[in-house]
Amino acid sequence: MEVIVGKNCGFCAGVKYSISKAEEELQKNNGNLDCLGELIHNKQVVSSLENKGLRTIDSINDAKNKVVIRAHGASKETYDLANEKHIELIDLTCPKVLKIHKTVELFSKNNYFIFLFGIKDHPETIGTISFCGDNSYIIENENDIQNAFNKLYESKIKKVLIISQTTFSVSLFNEFTKIITEALDSSYEVHIERSICDATNLRQQETEKIASVVELMIIIGGKNSSNTKKLYEISIKKCKNVLFIQTKDDLDINYLKKFNKIGIMAGASTPGYIIEEIYNLCISL
Ligand code: SF4
């Protein structure tokens, strides 16, 4: 059995940093720490931190301790509310996400209309749109583009910023940008910020390459992880057999035995030991 494991598999710098910092803060605060939403999209990592005392809360109103803001970031309203209620925040927002918040705030102040590409219910997108002001629109799929144009035309604004969630699909970013720039006439000034994170970009490119040459592609990651879902979507375009799993327990050994060449790729929230367990299982067959 030949097994190819992506070099860009697993934890990105932002996720690594938030886990190590959350562990450090748990020690400092004797296990009394809240986290707004799950720290990362991985059940195993979250439950191991919860065993050390981390409490996952859904709203800043439920805070009983210092509150961790995870790598995805939080909305402007969350920061305002924490400030108002004197809740201490440990802000672990990835620097790349913070940069996007600053960029959209700046362009919004300079009266730009913002087209934000992203998954509408993803925490990062919810956070970012809150810094965009009213003259903005989230574009998740092609159907949203016309609504975004309607809002732009109503606003009478002639300056446009195109920006995206850090884990958005590179090919969709290019496709949507082309549609928008071709539709706007020369009276519009368009600024394009390529804000997809390098880690995401490399992982997507490598997934496409591996999926093109294997018989079975295994994508590992949380079912609610947006960046992992993208890897699955990329893989099904290139490979006939694709599995989206969370741990090695999701694998059927008899099914795996049918293949001679397997590819493995994992999302940004997948711990190295889970990838290793799956790799070891595959090469043992
Ligand atoms: S994927 Fe990129 S932007 Fe998102 S947390 Fe990781 S390093 Fe930061």
Side-chain angles (χ1 to χ4, degrees), residues 41-59:
H41 286 143
N42 181 277
K43 266 192 201 162
Q44 290 73 24
V45 175
V46 171
S47 43
S48 132
L49 290 166
E50 286 178 345
N51 287 339
K52 293 177 186 167
L54 189 72
R55 223 170 54 99
T56 302
I57 55 170
D58 293 330
S59 156

Side-chain angles (χ1 to χ4, degrees), residues 4-12 41-42 199-200 202-204 206-207 210 217-222 225-232 235 243-247 263-276 278-279:
I4 306 174
V5 184
K7 291 189 187 77
N8 299 289
C9 259
F11 285 171
C12 61
H41 286 143
N42 181 277
T200 307
L202 287 172
R203 203 177 296 116
Q204 290 181 8
E206 198 183 20
T207 301
I210 298 176
M217 189 73 189
I218 301 176
I219 302 295
I220 318 163
S225 156
S226 151
N227 78 86
T228 314
K229 273 186 216 157
K230 293 273 156 39
L231 302 181
Y232 176 76
S235 298
L243 296 175
F244 185 167
I245 60 162
Q246 306 203 62
T247 68
I264 296 176
M265 187 49 93
S269 315
T270 308
Y273 79 90
I274 291 185
I275 303 166
E276 214 174 307
I278 291 165
Y279 171 75

Side-chain angles (χ1 to χ4, degrees), residues 12-15 71-72 94-97 124 166-167 197-200 203 227 268:
C12 61
V15 166
H72 296 314
C94 178
K96 293 174 189 185
V97 176
E124 184 189 321
T166 55
T167 50
C197 163
D198 285 349
T200 307
R203 203 177 296 116
N227 78 86

